[in-house]
Amino acid sequence: MAEEIKTDDNKILEEIGDYKYGFHDRDDNYVFKSERGLSREVVENISRMKGEPQWMLDFRLKAYEHYINRPMPNWGPTLDEIDFDNIFYYVKPTEKSEKNWDNVPDDIKNTFNKLGIPEAEQKFLAGVGAQYESEMVYHSILEHLEKQGVVFLSIEDGLKQYPDLFKEYFGTVIPIEDNKFAALNSAVWSGGSFVYVPKGVTVDLPLQAYFRLNTANVGQFERTLIIVDEGASVHYVEGCTAPQYTTNSFHSGVIEIIVKKGARSRYSTIQNWSTNVFNLVTQRAKVFANASHEWVDANLGSKLTMKYPSCYLMESGAHGEMLSMAFAGPGQTQDAGSKMMHFAPNTTSKIVSKSISKGGGRASYRGMVKVYKGSKGVKSNVVCDALLLDPKSRSDTYPTIEIDEDDVTIGHEASVSKVGEEQLFYLMSRGLSEEEATTMVVSGFIEPLVKELPMEYAVEMNRLIQLQMEGSIG
Amino acid sequence: MSQLEIKNLHVSIEDKEILKGLSLTINQGEIHAIMGPNGTGKSTLAYTLMGHPNYTVTKGEIIFKGKNVLELEPDERSRAGIFLAFQYPVAIPGVTVANFLRTAINSRRRAENPEDKGMPIPEFRKMLKEKMDTLKMDHNFAGRYLNDGFSGGEKKRAEILQMATLKPEIAILDETDSGLDIDALRIVSEGVNALSGPDLGVLVITHYQRLLNYIKPNFVHIMLDGRIVESGGADLALHLEEQGYDWVREKYEEPA
Ligand SMILES: Nc1ncnc2c1ncn2[C@@H]1O[C@H](COP(=O)(O)OP(=O)(O)OP(=O)(O)O)[C@@H](O)[C@H]1O
Ligand SMILES: [Mg+2]
C-alpha cells in the first residue's frame, strides 16, 4: 500500500523543511564600475574582468556587432517596453549582494515564507544574501561527481580549467547569428554552468544548479554549456520555485547542450521570475545517433517570457522531447513552445505543452516541427492543452509544421478547456471549497509534467500552484 | 428527528420547470427509494439537494437538521453531512483517488478547525485500505486518476468508496446500481448496508427492484413529471417491476 499511494505531500514537505542545500560564494574581488547601456567598451571590460583568452573576446565582439546590427524580432509579443539603454549589462557579484533586503517587495517575502524557506536562504535567493554556507553537503556532492569524472563548474571556471573542450563546443549549438538575443547573450554572458559527462557515465543524482552558488542567483545573461558524451546520461535541474527577485528586469540566457551518440539527457527548469522581468531565453540541444534529449520546462512569473527550447535531431535514431507548462497570471504573457528539427531519418520527437491562464493572463504556444528532405521515417507528435480559468484570460496556439519528406508520421492536437462547472461541482460536493476545487483541477492538469520532476521540486511546484491560486476566487 | 425535509420544491433549469412541488421527509436511519420513468426529474432532485448551480429553486424549502440548505454552497452542504453518489461521476484527470480523498478529508477537518494539521498519513492509508477491502477494490485503484478512464462499474464503486470515507448523515444514491455487474451490485450494496444504521438516512434512486433486494427500503416513492405521486412500502417496488408505469401514468398524468 505504501507504494501505491504516492501522494505523501506532508512527509515530503517535512523533509524539504530542513533545507540541506549548500551554497558557496565566489571570490570576485576585482573592481569594475558598472554603467548602464551597452557599448564595445562594456563588452571588452567584461572579458577583461573575467581574464578571458583572446578568442573569447573576439567571439564577444563579433556577437556585439551582430546584436547591434540585427533588427528586433517583429513576430510575437511586443518588446517595446524594454529599455535597453537603461540596463546594466554586467553586474559584479559583490555589487549584487549589496542590495538591501528591505527593498525586496513584500509579496516576494511572503511567498518565501509560505514556501517555508529559512530567512538566510530567502536573502540569498533574493540576491541580497551574504555568504550562505553549508560546505559539507556541497563538497560531498562534488566529490561524488568527481569520482565519476563528471565536470560541474561555473561557466567561467569551465573556460579556465577546460579551455580546449570548452572551445570545441561553445557557440556550436547556438551560433551568434541565431537570433538577436542569442547574440546579445554571446556578447555579455556571465554566470551559468559548464557540465561534462564522460563516455558511458550515468550521473545518478540530478545536477542541481542551485546547489551551486551564483547560479541560484541566475545572472541576467547566464550561459550554460552541457556536453553529454557517448552513452552517458544526466539530468540537470535549473531554477527554483521561490520567486527570483531581481532588480534587473531583463533576463536573456543561452543554454547549449550536446548529446552524443547513445547518450541521454534531460534539462528541467522551474522558473518563477518576479513579475517585472522580461525573460527571453534560447535553449537548444543537438542530439546525435540514437541519443535522446528531454526538456522539462515550467514557467511561472515574469512579465513576458519568450522561450522555445529546441532539439536539433542530427543523426538517425535521435529523439527529442519537450514537456512544458506555463502559468500566465494577471498582466503576464507566456509565449512558449518548442522547435523540433528533424535533420536525419528515423528521428522522433514529442511536444506536450500545457498552459494555464488566469486573471487576464495570456499564454501562447508557438512551436515548429520541421522535417528536412531525406529524413524518412520521422515521427513527431504535438499536443497543446490550454486551460483558461476565467473569461478574461487568453490562450493562442501558433503551430508551424514544415515537411519536405513524404514518409513521415506527424500528429498535432490542440485543446482549450475551461475548468468545468461539472468538475467544480463534483469536487465541491465532497467538501472542497471552490478555490480548493479549482486548484485541484489545475494541479491535475499539470500532473503529467510535475510527475517528471525530482520529488522535492514536484512538491514545491504543487505548493506554488496553490499559492498562485490563492485568493483567485470570489 | 427528521433529518431532511423537502417541502413543495419547485426547480427549473433554464426557465423550464422540472420539479413541480415535490415533498419528502427522510429521517435518520430510514432508507427511501425513488423510482420513476426517465426524465421525470430524479437526478434533478439529487443535484438540487447538493446545490448544483444550474438548478434554480423557484419555490419551496429544503431543511436539513433544522438548517435552511438552500442558503448553503455545495461544499457547505457536503460538510453538513449531505452526500450524493452521482449518476454520472465526473473525471478529474491527473488527480489520484488517494490525493483527492485526502484533500477532501483534510479540507473538512480544516473547515471545522482551522488549526487542524490534517489526517496523519499512516492513519489515512490504513483507513483507505480498509474501506477499499470492504468494497473489494484493488489497492492500486488509489493511485489512479479519479474517474479518468474508469469503467462504469468502477465509477460507481469509487462513489461508494467516497461515501464510506466521508461518512455522511444523508446519502443520495443516484442510480448507483446501473452499470454494475451482478457481483459488483452485491458488493456495493453490502458496502452501503455496512454504512447504514440509525444515524444515516439514505435516498436510493433506481430503476430496478433488484437493488432493493439488497438495500431494503422502508419507503418506496414513485415520481412522475416532477412530483412524488405514490408512496408505499417495499412491495410498491415489486408491484412496479411487474406492472410497469402505465397504471401510474393513467392515474396521474394530466391529459394533454
Ligand atoms: N442541464 C440541463 N439542461 C436542460 N435540461 C435538463 C438539464 N438537466 C436535466 N434536464 C431535463 O430535465 C428533465 C429531468 O431530467 P433528470 O435528469 O432529472 O431525469 P431523471 O429522472 O434523472 O432521468 P433518468 O432516469 O433518465 O436518469 C429532463 O427532461 C432533462 O432533459
Ligand atoms: Mg437521472
Side-chain angles (χ1 to χ4, degrees):
Chain A
M1 190 68 180
E3 292 74 41
E4 275 109 40
I5 302 177
K6 303 178 200 95
T7 48
D8 296 353
D9 303 7
N10 279 346
K11 208 153 101 202
I12 303 152
L13 276 170
E14 263 162 40
E15 274 168 29
I16 46 170
D18 36 330
Y19 252 67
K20 333 175 182 66
Y21 311 122
F23 298 107
H24 186 260
D25 213 338
R26 285 157 39 112
D27 290 324
D28 281 292
N29 44 18
Y30 39 76
V31 183
F32 177 71
K33 188 157 181 344
S34 316
E35 49 183 289
R36 288 177 199 273
L38 187 57
S39 64
R40 208 181 158 84
E41 287 66 48
V42 169
V43 175
E44 283 168 348
N45 272 334
I46 293 171
S47 187
R48 191 171 332 115
M49 292 301 129
K50 292 179 181 290
E52 288 174 350
Q54 183 65 37
W55 76 265
M56 184 55 79
L57 174 61
D58 295 343
F59 178 90
R60 285 181 185 274
L61 289 172
K62 189 175 160 214
Y64 170 72
E65 290 301 326
H66 188 80
Y67 169 69
I68 54 169
N69 289 319
R70 183 144 175 171
M72 274 289 182
N74 57 2
W75 50 271
T78 172
L79 300 169
D80 293 348
E81 273 184 58
I82 307 175
D83 182 359
F84 289 93
D85 294 330
N86 201 28
I87 290 171
F88 287 104
Y89 285 86
Y90 181 60
V91 181
K92 190 177 72 165
T94 48
E95 282 179 315
K96 282 183 187 167
S97 23
E98 280 160 15
K99 282 190 284 181
N100 192 336
W101 178 238
D102 294 335
N103 295 339
V104 177
D106 283 343
D107 61 328
I108 302 268
K109 287 182 187 167
N110 287 342
T111 307
F112 281 149
N113 286 332
K114 286 178 184 168
L115 285 169
I117 297 169
E119 181 161 315
E121 198 169 330
Q122 292 185 14
K123 292 191 173 174
F124 174 80
L125 291 168
V128 300
Q131 213 154 312
Y132 182 81
E133 285 191 82
S134 173
E135 294 275 333
M136 294 273 289
V137 182
Y138 179 69
H139 277 302
S140 65
I141 287 167
L142 285 192
E143 249 169 50
H144 177 77
L145 293 174
E146 247 164 51
K147 269 191 214 136
Q148 296 179 294
V150 176
V151 177
F152 183 24
L153 295 169
S154 74
I155 188 93
E156 284 83 1
D157 289 344
L159 174 57
K160 284 197 186 94
Q161 294 177 31
Y162 296 88
D164 298 335
L165 192 63
F166 197 100
K167 192 172 176 186
E168 188 181 344
Y169 293 103
F170 186 85
T172 61
V173 183
I174 302 172
I176 288 167
E177 300 80 10
D178 193 78
N179 66 73
K180 187 168 173 82
F181 295 104
L184 175 60
N185 176 285
S186 298
V188 299
W189 65 265
S190 191
S193 300
F194 176 74
V195 175
Y196 173 75
V197 186
K199 273 185 194 169
V201 169
T202 296
V203 180
D204 50 11
L205 77 183
L207 294 184
Q208 312 202 26
Y210 77 87
F211 268 119
R212 308 183 36 82
L213 180 68
N214 293 338
T215 38
N217 195 348
V218 183
Q220 291 180 87
F221 301 105
E222 114 217 47
R223 181 98 192 189
T224 285
L225 176 59
I226 298 174
I227 302 147
V228 193
D229 216 331
E230 291 179 10
S233 162
V234 70
H235 182 186
Y236 183 93
V237 187
E238 161 200 63
C240 66
T241 51
Q244 285 174 300
Y245 174 67
T246 165
T247 47
N248 304 312
S249 57
F250 182 64
H251 171 252
S252 184
V254 166
I255 315 291
E256 297 183 284
I257 302 179
I258 293 104
V259 194
K260 295 211 176 171
K261 193 169 130 190
R264 300 176 60 85
S265 83
R266 172 183 283 196
Y267 189 102
S268 299
T269 306
I270 303 175
Q271 215 65 272
N272 186 21
W273 296 101
S274 49
T275 49
N276 60 331
V277 170
F278 288 84
N279 181 36
L280 315 176
V281 185
T282 310
Q283 300 186 175
R284 185 173 307 153
K286 258 192 186 172
V287 190
F288 294 89
N290 299 318
S292 80
H293 177 77
E294 295 162 15
W295 299 105
V296 178
D297 203 65
N299 296 293
L300 296 96
S302 84
K303 183 173 183 61
L304 167 67
T305 287
M306 290 174 76
K307 194 177 191 184
Y308 322 97
S310 58
C311 291
Y312 280 29
L313 305 167
M314 309 300 295
E315 293 176 351
S316 177
H319 175 73
E321 225 171 289
M322 170 75 180
L323 187 53
S324 71
M325 190 282 288
F327 192 111
Q332 300 178 328
T333 301
Q334 301 282 0
D335 200 271
S338 183
K339 271 199 269 183
M340 293 292 172
M341 313 294 267
H342 294 262
F343 293 102
N346 303 315
T347 48
T348 51
S349 66
K350 182 175 149 190
I351 298 173
V352 178
S353 158
K354 297 201 163 248
S355 73
I356 300 156
S357 319
K358 186 195 123 185
R362 183 169 174 189
S364 307
Y365 167 80
R366 196 181 297 276
M368 152 95 101
V369 173
K370 187 164 169 106
V371 181
Y372 288 83
K373 185 118 200 85
S375 303
K376 291 189 192 303
V378 161
K379 288 196 177 82
S380 175
N381 197 43
V382 181
V383 180
C384 306
D385 294 326
L387 186 64
L388 298 176
L389 296 189
D390 49 61
K392 284 189 293 184
S393 301
R394 196 173 149 179
S395 152
D396 303 284
T397 44
Y398 306 99
T400 307
I401 299 176
E402 285 176 20
I403 298 165
D404 300 327
E405 179 53 58
D406 297 331
D407 175 20
V408 298
T409 316
I410 308 283
H412 179 95
E413 295 163 44
S415 77
V416 180
S417 48
K418 302 187 173 77
V419 175
E421 200 170 49
E422 297 308 319
Q423 288 181 316
L424 286 185
F425 174 64
Y426 185 71
L427 294 174
M428 288 177 74
S429 80
R430 300 326 188 210
L432 275 67
S433 68
E434 187 175 356
E435 185 170 300
E436 287 171 322
T438 312
T439 304
M440 181 160 266
V441 174
V442 171
S443 305
F445 178 74
I446 59 164
E447 163 69 12
L449 177 133
V450 171
K451 73 169 191 235
E452 296 298 324
L453 296 171
M455 185 77 95
E456 66 269 30
Y457 289 86
V459 172
E460 286 190 35
M461 187 70 202
N462 277 324
R463 183 80 191 103
L464 198 64
I465 290 293
Q466 280 167 19
L467 291 177
Q468 297 279 346
M469 299 300 298
E470 258 174 32
S472 61
I473 310 288
Chain B
M1 185 189 145
S2 65
Q3 279 279 99
L4 182 70
E5 266 186 279
I6 305 162
K7 291 187 206 161
N8 189 30
L9 190 66
H10 290 253
V11 174
S12 301
I13 309 163
E14 293 162 0
D15 296 331
K16 185 180 159 210
E17 184 161 69
I18 310 290
L19 296 189
K20 303 168 180 172
L22 185 145
S23 299
L24 178 65
T25 298
I26 300 175
N27 293 307
Q28 275 178 301
E30 290 176 356
I31 298 178
H32 292 245
I34 289 189
M35 305 180 81
N38 296 129
T40 45
K42 301 181 297 297
S43 295
T44 301
L45 172 65
Y47 279 136
T48 306
L49 289 172
M50 205 67 241
H52 194 293
N54 289 356
Y55 296 75
T56 315
V57 176
T58 52
K59 209 168 162 188
E61 279 184 295
I62 304 174
I63 309 290
F64 180 53
K65 292 191 288 184
K67 266 195 264 180
N68 178 5
V69 169
L70 295 178
E71 284 174 358
L72 303 178
E73 293 295 319
D75 54 326
E76 294 168 318
R77 296 182 193 202
S78 166
R79 294 196 293 262
I82 303 177
F83 180 87
L84 168 62
F86 283 59
Q87 182 176 1
Y88 305 108
V90 182
I92 314 289
V95 176
T96 61
V97 170
N99 184 11
F100 161 66
L101 284 174
R102 205 154 70 87
T103 308
I105 289 173
N106 291 341
S107 161
R108 300 163 86 91
R109 288 167 64 129
R110 257 197 323 280
E112 222 154 84
N113 168 20
E115 302 299 305
D116 190 89
K117 294 272 181 285
M119 184 183 274
I121 288 167
E123 188 187 331
F124 173 75
R125 215 180 259 155
K126 184 164 169 283
M127 184 274 300
L128 186 56
K129 194 178 154 165
E130 282 169 10
K131 309 276 185 210
M132 291 176 79
D133 287 344
T134 323
L135 292 166
K136 304 218 164 35
M137 295 169 89
D138 195 322
H139 289 174
N140 69 25
F141 208 79
R144 288 183 60 187
Y145 296 150
L146 185 59
N147 296 326
D148 194 18
F150 283 16
S151 75
E154 285 170 339
K155 283 184 188 166
K156 297 305 169 80
R157 255 187 237 214
E159 292 293 288
I160 301 307
L161 177 66
Q162 293 176 47
M163 173 179 164
T165 312
L166 302 179
K167 300 202 201 91
E169 289 171 48
I170 178 110
I172 305 143
L173 311 181
D174 191 358
E175 294 197 26
T176 300
D177 52 339
S178 65
L180 291 180
D181 64 43
I182 294 163
D183 290 338
L185 179 69
R186 185 177 44 78
I187 293 161
V188 164
S189 307
E190 281 167 5
V192 173
N193 286 334
L195 297 169
S196 61
D199 299 327
L200 180 72
V202 181
L203 177 61
V204 186
I205 297 170
T206 183
H207 287 294
Y208 305 106
Q209 132 73 20
R210 198 184 46 187
L211 174 70
L212 305 179
N213 290 336
Y214 295 103
I215 302 176
K216 298 225 155 48
N218 307 100
F219 304 94
V220 173
H221 310 276
I222 300 174
M223 216 175 137
L224 189 70
D225 194 23
R227 279 183 213 103
I228 288 176
V229 292
E230 288 269 336
S231 295
D235 50 332
L236 185 55
L238 285 170
H239 186 69
L240 271 184
E241 185 93 348
E242 281 165 23
Q243 308 286 321
Y245 289 109
D246 282 350
W247 64 275
V248 188
R249 284 204 178 92
E250 271 163 33
K251 198 165 156 191
Y252 296 99
E253 219 157 57
E254 284 151 35

